Amino acid sequence: EAGVAQSPRYKIIEKRQSVAFWCNPISGHATLYWYQQILGQGPKLLIQFQNNGVVDDSQLPKDRFSAERLKGVDSTLKIQPAKLEDSAVYLCASSSPSGGARGDTQYFGPGTRLTVL
Amino acid sequence: AQTVTQSQPEMSVQEAETVTLSCTYDTSESNYYLFWYKQPPSRQMILVIRQEAYKQQNATENRFSVNFQKAAKSFSLKISDSQLGDTAMYFCAFMGYNNNDMRFGAGTRLTVKP
C-alpha cells in the first residue's frame, strides 16, 4: 500500500514570495490533515479536511495561508506572502478509511521543509 | 484546551537496555486516545503505539509498551531491548474522543548508543 506522498521535499524562498505544497493521501482515506512543525517543536494542526470539506481550520493563519482539497483526494497548501517565521516542515497526514471513525491512526507523509530567507 | 507535556528533551540508552519516556497531559474529557509517534532523522512520522483511554489494559507492541495512569494523566513509553534503529524523536500525542484533532508534545530525542 502506497503511503502519503508530498512534494516538494525541500523549498527555499525569499520572504514575501508565495509557495505551494502538494499532498496525495493514502488511497481511500477520507480525512486529510496539514501540520506545521517548527524546529524543536511537535507538529501543530493547521487544517483538517473530511473528504473535500473543511472540518477544522481554527489554527490556520488565514491572512496568508490557504488550503484546498479538490475532489476529496489531493490537497494543496499555499502561503502568500511568506514570512520568516513560516520556516518549518509542513507535514501532511491522512486517516479514516471508514470515513470518520473515532481515534483513527494518522499516517504521515515525509514532509516539505520550507526555508524562508 | 488539551496540552501534552514531555519533560525530557533528550535521553540516551545503551543498546539492549530498557528506557522509559515520560508524557503527561491535561484534559477534562473522560474518553480519549493517546499515541506515541517516532520520527527518525528522515522525518517521516511513524506510529509506535496507541492507547484508548477507556481500556484499562496497557497497550503493547513487541518491544514497546506503555504505562497508562489515567488518574495521574500519565502515559509513558517503555522501550525494551533498545536497538540502534530506535534512535529518533519520540512524540506523545492526545486526541479527543469526539474529534480527530491531535495535540503533540514537544518531543524527546532518544539516542541509542552501541
Side-chain angles (χ1 to χ4, degrees), chain B residues 3-72:
Chain B
T3 57
V4 179
T5 302
Q6 293 180 250
S7 58
Q8 305 151 315
E10 294 189 31
M11 294 190 72
S12 64
V13 63
Q14 291 295 129
E15 195 174 7
E17 298 289 307
T18 296
V19 64
T20 299
L21 309 183
S22 301
C23 173
T24 58
Y25 56 93
D26 183 29
T27 184
S28 58
E29 298 183 40
S30 58
N31 290 324
Y32 45 86
Y33 303 89
L34 295 163
F35 304 82
W36 278 98
Y37 276 88
K38 169 185 177 181
Q39 191 175 40
S42 66
R43 305 203 73 84
Q44 185 137 13
M45 297 267 273
I46 305 166
L47 178 69
V48 175
I49 201 163
R50 175 179 179 274
Q51 175 80 41
E52 298 162 355
Y54 51 86
K55 289 186 178 179
Q56 294 187 348
Q57 186 173 6
N58 288 325
T60 63
E61 286 289 343
N62 301 314
R63 298 182 295 107
F64 300 88
S65 62
V66 298
N67 183 5
F68 173 48
Q69 300 289 328
K70 190 172 184 180

Side-chain angles (χ1 to χ4, degrees), chain A residues 4 9 31 33 35 37 40-43 45 48 56 59 89 91 96 101-106 108-110 113, chain B residues 33 35 37 39 41-47 50 89 91 95-107:
Chain A
V4 177
R9 293 294 310 276
T31 310
Y33 313 80
Y35 288 87
Q37 186 178 18
Q41 299 180 18
L45 180 69
Q48 175 186 342
D56 182 0
Q59 300 187 87
V89 175
L91 297 168
S96 306
R102 293 190 172 102
D104 279 340
T105 296
Q106 296 184 19
F108 286 81
R113 182 188 295 275
Chain B
Y33 303 89
F35 304 82
Y37 276 88
Q39 191 175 40
S42 66
R43 305 203 73 84
Q44 185 137 13
M45 297 267 273
I46 305 166
L47 178 69
R50 175 179 179 274
M89 283 290 290
F91 291 97
M95 181 188 292
Y97 187 71
N98 291 313
N99 63 70
N100 287 328
D101 180 3
M102 195 150 59
R103 303 296 173 111
F104 287 84

Side-chain angles (χ1 to χ4, degrees), chain A residues 71-83:
Chain A
K71 301 181 181 178
V73 182
D74 293 4
S75 178
T76 303
L77 176 70
K78 296 179 181 178
I79 308 174
Q80 182 179 11
K83 292 185 175 181

Side-chain angles (χ1 to χ4, degrees), chain A:
Chain A
E1 180 183 73
V4 177
Q6 290 187 247
S7 68
R9 293 294 310 276
Y10 304 91
K11 190 73 176 180
I12 301 174
I13 61 173
E14 303 267 338
K15 61 183 178 183
R16 291 187 289 273
Q17 287 186 325
S18 63
V19 65
F21 313 126
W22 172 83
C23 173
N24 180 244
I26 292 173
S27 178
H29 277 193
T31 310
L32 185 147
Y33 313 80
W34 283 103
Y35 288 87
Q36 180 191 58
Q37 186 178 18
I38 293 173
L39 185 66
Q41 299 180 18
K44 182 186 82 171
L45 180 69
L46 292 176
I47 189 167
Q48 175 186 342
F49 292 95
Q50 179 77 17
N51 296 308
N52 61 351
V54 176
V55 174
D56 182 0
D57 64 355
S58 59
Q59 300 187 87
L60 187 73
K62 298 180 186 64
D63 58 332
R64 299 184 301 105
F65 286 65
S66 64
E68 60 182 9
R69 190 182 184 197
L70 300 176
K71 301 181 181 178
V73 182
D74 293 4
S75 178
T76 303
L77 176 70
K78 296 179 181 178
I79 308 174
Q80 182 179 11
K83 292 185 175 181
L84 296 177
E85 58 261 36
D86 298 331
S87 293
V89 175
Y90 291 85
L91 297 168
C92 179
S94 70
S95 72
S96 306
S98 53
R102 293 190 172 102
D104 279 340
T105 296
Q106 296 184 19
Y107 296 88
F108 286 81
T112 297
R113 182 188 295 275
L114 173 67
T115 301
V116 182
L117 302 176

